[in-house]
Structure formats: structure tokens, C-alpha cells
Amino acid sequence: MKYSIRVDRTDPNAHRVQVVRYANRKPVVLKHIGTAHTEEELEKLKLSASAWILAHPPQPRLFPEKEVFHASLHDYEYRGIRFTFAYEFLHRRCDHFGFNAFKSQLLTDLVIMRIFEPASKRRSLMLLSKYFDINYTEKTLYRSLRKFPTLKQSVEEKIVAVAKNEFGFDFSFVLYDVTTLYFETFKSDNLRKHGFSKDNKSQQPQIVIGLMVTPQGFPVSYEIFSGNTFEGATFLPSILAFKSLHHIDKLTVVADAAMLSLDNMQKLAEAGLTYIVGARLGNIPSILFQTIDSVLLRNDGATMKTKTLHGDLVCAFSKKRYAKDLSDMNKQIKKAESHVQAPGKMKRAKFVSAATGIVSLNDALIARTKKLLGVKGYYTNLKEVADADIIAHYQSLWHVEQAFRIAKSDLASRPIFHRKDTSIKAHILICVMALAVSKYIEIKTRSSLRSVIDVCKSVTDATLVHRMTGEQVIMRSPVPEEMSGLEKLLSH
């Protein structure tokens, strides 16, 4: 079967152009292209007819030909650009995590949108349509948000599987910390409550998020708590839930001093878990203070270890920390002196005493603080582990802080606009999934998430539609050379 372009005269000054096929020597009109009144119009219609034939071949080609224009650009209407390349890049990462197993393409697309350009859920639907030509209804969105929280355990299992396979995670060490996420409202309820805000948004209700990451900063678990929950109260529920889900026998948890309590340490030990927790040396018993002061050498890198009710206390001295502590102390002393001179102008100051009813400098506290300058303490129940290793593990906690910064800045996890508990939990699930994919990209490529996304955004697909035939042509801009290098790093 063959298609032909038929041109016949309709009047002395007009020519009709059609696409036809012949059956029994008679023309069968397949497409009327148009009528030309000049030679220039006639040539354009012929080109349009050729383009229609190419777009509607009588039978599929065995070997597809390279796309070329067979008509003038004036015959095409520009429909805008898409970022299909970036979508395909991020979708491959989500597939690598196994997120496609949840049979919810909307969930994956919301994770991709959270990484590509974070926005509210409703706006994300609009951006999915604008950037990727993917369309969902709001009804589908809100119906799905109610179901997403039930996937939390499955999501965590898939993320942990990637941590094991890609980063050698063996549950020997996890880093734990908490942060707060505030809401764009002033109304509180059972989950959204006012509390100590790490974002300085004390007037707005919040939730508390406990996050566990690997020593490389890759997230492996999270828990959600009401906004007025004390940090230390999140510690045991998060760790024990993680232990139970993954049937862990041995695990060392690294956390800062806010998680320290005798009850927490004892229950961790009863569960067969070990810990490294920061110590607050400012309020330790006098006997322990005297031991540290007399035993610990003030040489850079010097350490000591002594037994306490919280486990072994490892103390270390650092010249760099000493310089910072000294500077901070001098600022606080100046503030205290100003407070003593004008008590009514300042609410509180660290080195001020009013025990006798007279406002004065607390010389005893200043003397005690001076003896702890440059000294940092760490509680642990690990045995036969070098002091330097204990300190190194604790210093890895910056990875959790970095994960929180990515979640809050690059992924815009707050403010939260949801009101219902299920929607809030769905939002956190999406943010954690996006955080896992983001950290995977960063660790593998050794590049920031934003720099990788910027490279992806530099590749655009322009959409052109033929005015006569409706043929759609996609023109992709050149892919930067560095993209192939990124793909290789991510595939290893």
C-alpha cells in the first residue's frame, strides 16, 4: 500500500492538495491538506502532505529513521519545553530503590517533584503537568495521601536494603538526632503542638522528627512525635522500633547529650545495644570533676577514661576547642559584668549569682568553667574500643545535621501545610524517600544535589506540533558531557 500526494485544480487560481491511496485505480482521500492560491502556498502544502505521510505510514518501518524536518518551521506551533530528561534520571534512581513495587506512580512522582522543585502537593500536580506532561486529579491525590502512611515499613526496608547493598551498612553503627518541622498555622492539636523549635518558630505548632542515618549520612529510619515531645523521650522508641523491625542483635547508637539519661542508657543496655552519647560536663558530680581535672593532660589530643553510672566516660582535650571555649567564656563574662552593673536591663547571664540577694559575679563557676576549657566528654558502654575511635564515631554526628539541612532547604520539608494526621505522615514519608534518593546521589557522585539537578535541568525537550497534520516533534537540547560521568558513578 502506498500513499500519494494528489494536486488538482478547483478553479483557475486554486489548487487542492490531498493525501490519497488508490484502490481499484480510484483515489481514496485520506487527508485533505488544504487549498493553495499561489505557487508558494502550493509548495508548503506539498511539504505538509509529505510530513503527514511520514507521520502516518501505511505500515511500520522495520528500521526507524532519524527524525528530520520535512516542512518549514513556520508550519509548526511551539508548545513549550519539558524536562523529560531530568524526570527519566530521577525515575531511574527511584526504580533502583524499588519504589515502583508500591504500585503507586503518584507516590514516585511526588518524590521526584520534591527533589526537582519542592512545592505543596496541589502545586506539585500542576508542576508535574507543566514540566513532565504527567497529569493527576486532586481527587486522586487526596485519596492516595490517606494510603501512603501504611507504606512506611516497606519504604524503610527498601531504603535499608540500598544502604546494605550500596554502602556496606551492617547495623554496627547508626547516628541519631532530632529536629522540628513547623506548620503554616497557629492552631494546635494532638500531633501539631507548640514546643522548643529548632527553627525559631515557637509561636507555630510543630512536630518532632527522630532520624537515624548511617555513618555516611544515608537515612535508614525515622519516627514522628508530637511537637512538645522532649528530645530524650524520642530516643528509646525510635531505636527499639528500628531494632525490632530489622531483627538486630548488635547495634551501636551515636547521639548527642540531649539523649542522655540514666534510664535511656540502662534500657539500651538491657536490649543488648551499645551507645556513644555526648556528656554534659558542666553539671557532673564534684568527685568526677576533680578526677577529670587531675588526670586529663592538657595536651592536644590527650584522652582519659573513667567509670560512671552512665557507662565509661571518655574525655578528650583539644587546643582548637580550647580556643573556642575561651572566646565563648570571655563573652559570657563580659555579659555577666554588664548584668551586675545594670541588673534591670538584662534577664539572665550565665556567670551571675544572686544567692545572697546581692547580684555579683559567680567566681566559683568561672573557676570551674576554666578547668573544663577545651575538654569534651563522651559516655559509652562499648568495650575494648580505643578512645580515638569513640571520639571519631561521635564526631560523625554532623552527617545527621547535614541530612536535616538537605531536608529543610533543598527539599523544603517545612513549613507543612497539612492538617490531618494521615496527610502529615504522608508528607514526611515523601520527604524521607526524597532525602534517601538525594543522599544516594550525593554520596555516589560526590556532588551536591542542587548541582546534579542543575545539570539535569540544562537538558530540555522542545515540543513542536504541525499545524496541519498534528504531528508532534520533540527536539532535545544537547546532553552535557559531565552527565555521562555522573551516570557511571551512580551505576557503580
Side-chain angles (χ1 to χ4, degrees), residues 80 129 139 169 203 211 224 245 343 376 396 437 465 468:
S129 177
K139 182 179 179 181
F169 179 58
Q203 293 182 335
L211 180 68
I224 303 173
L245 175 59
K376 174 68 177 176
S396 297
V437 174
V465 177
M468 298 295 297

Side-chain angles (χ1 to χ4, degrees), residues 78-87 109 113 116-117 119 121-136 457 459-463 474:
Y78 173 67
R79 294 287 179 86
I81 63 170
R82 302 273 191 255
F83 294 95
T84 310
F85 180 85
Y87 178 85
D109 288 342
M113 202 67 247
F116 185 80
E117 186 176 317
K121 302 301 177 295
R122 291 178 64 185
R123 178 169 171 76
S124 292
L125 295 191
M126 185 272 287
L127 294 178
L128 280 167
S129 177
K130 175 182 177 182
Y131 292 148
F132 308 133
D133 196 24
I134 296 173
N135 299 288
Y136 296 99
K457 284 183 175 180
V459 182
T460 56
D461 290 345
T463 303
I474 305 296

Side-chain angles (χ1 to χ4, degrees), residues 89 92-94 96-97 159 162-163 165-167 216-219 406 433-447 449 452 486-492:
F89 173 84
R92 285 194 294 275
R93 309 288 83 81
C94 290
H96 183 68
F97 276 74
I159 290 175
V162 171
N165 297 331
E166 299 287 342
F167 306 122
Q216 293 173 296
F218 184 77
I406 293 173
M433 292 170 72
L435 176 62
V437 174
S438 300
K439 284 300 300 181
Y440 177 85
I441 292 172
E442 288 197 343
I443 294 171
K444 283 283 190 175
T445 64
R446 301 182 186 88
S447 303
L449 173 66
V452 174
L486 292 173
E487 286 284 5
K488 286 181 181 178
L489 289 171
L490 288 165
S491 63
H492 289 167

Side-chain angles (χ1 to χ4, degrees), residues 26-129:
K26 293 183 179 180
V28 176
V29 178
L30 302 174
K31 178 70 176 180
H32 176 72
I33 303 299
T35 301
H37 296 85
T38 66
E39 286 297 324
E40 183 179 0
E41 289 180 353
L42 179 60
E43 289 304 314
K44 285 185 178 181
L45 290 178
K46 287 181 179 179
L47 288 172
S48 297
S50 297
W52 190 93
I53 292 172
L54 286 170
H56 304 82
Q59 62 185 27
R61 294 185 178 89
L62 182 59
F63 300 103
E65 295 179 358
K66 183 178 179 181
E67 273 193 59
V68 294
F69 276 116
H70 292 270
S72 168
L73 278 174
H74 294 292
D75 295 327
Y76 287 82
E77 179 181 340
Y78 173 67
R79 294 287 179 86
I81 63 170
R82 302 273 191 255
F83 294 95
T84 310
F85 180 85
Y87 178 85
E88 293 167 350
F89 173 84
L90 292 173
H91 201 282
R92 285 194 294 275
R93 309 288 83 81
C94 290
D95 281 347
H96 183 68
F97 276 74
F99 293 160
N100 57 334
F102 300 133
K103 298 181 180 179
S104 174
Q105 187 58 45
L106 174 58
L107 176 59
T108 301
D109 288 342
L110 289 174
V111 170
I112 290 173
M113 202 67 247
R114 179 63 48 180
I115 299 171
F116 185 80
E117 186 176 317
S120 68
K121 302 301 177 295
R122 291 178 64 185
R123 178 169 171 76
S124 292
L125 295 191
M126 185 272 287
L127 294 178
L128 280 167
S129 177

Side-chain angles (χ1 to χ4, degrees), residues 156-222:
E156 183 173 315
E157 289 172 344
K158 293 187 179 301
I159 290 175
V160 167
V162 171
K164 289 179 178 178
N165 297 331
E166 299 287 342
F167 306 122
F169 179 58
D170 60 0
F171 299 101
S172 55
F173 285 91
V174 293
L175 313 176
Y176 180 81
D177 204 352
V178 303
T179 194
T180 57
L181 302 177
Y182 65 92
F183 289 80
E184 195 62 33
T185 183
F186 294 97
K187 296 180 180 179
S188 60
D189 53 34
N190 291 332
L191 183 60
R192 303 178 299 170
K193 289 184 177 294
H194 294 88
F196 175 74
S197 173
K198 293 180 180 286
D199 297 312
N200 296 317
K201 297 286 184 178
S202 57
Q203 293 182 335
Q204 292 169 258
Q206 63 183 22
I207 55 175
V208 175
I209 305 295
L211 180 68
M212 256 177 283
V213 306
T214 69
Q216 293 173 296
F218 184 77
V220 289
S221 183
Y222 74 96

Side-chain angles (χ1 to χ4, degrees), residues 5-35:
I5 300 174
R6 180 187 182 195
V7 179
D8 60 348
R9 188 183 297 273
T10 55
D11 62 50
N13 297 315
H15 290 82
R16 180 174 58 191
V17 179
Q18 298 172 326
V19 177
V20 301
R21 65 177 176 84
Y22 287 90
N24 298 321
R25 298 184 179 182
K26 293 183 179 180
V28 176
V29 178
L30 302 174
K31 178 70 176 180
H32 176 72
I33 303 299
T35 301

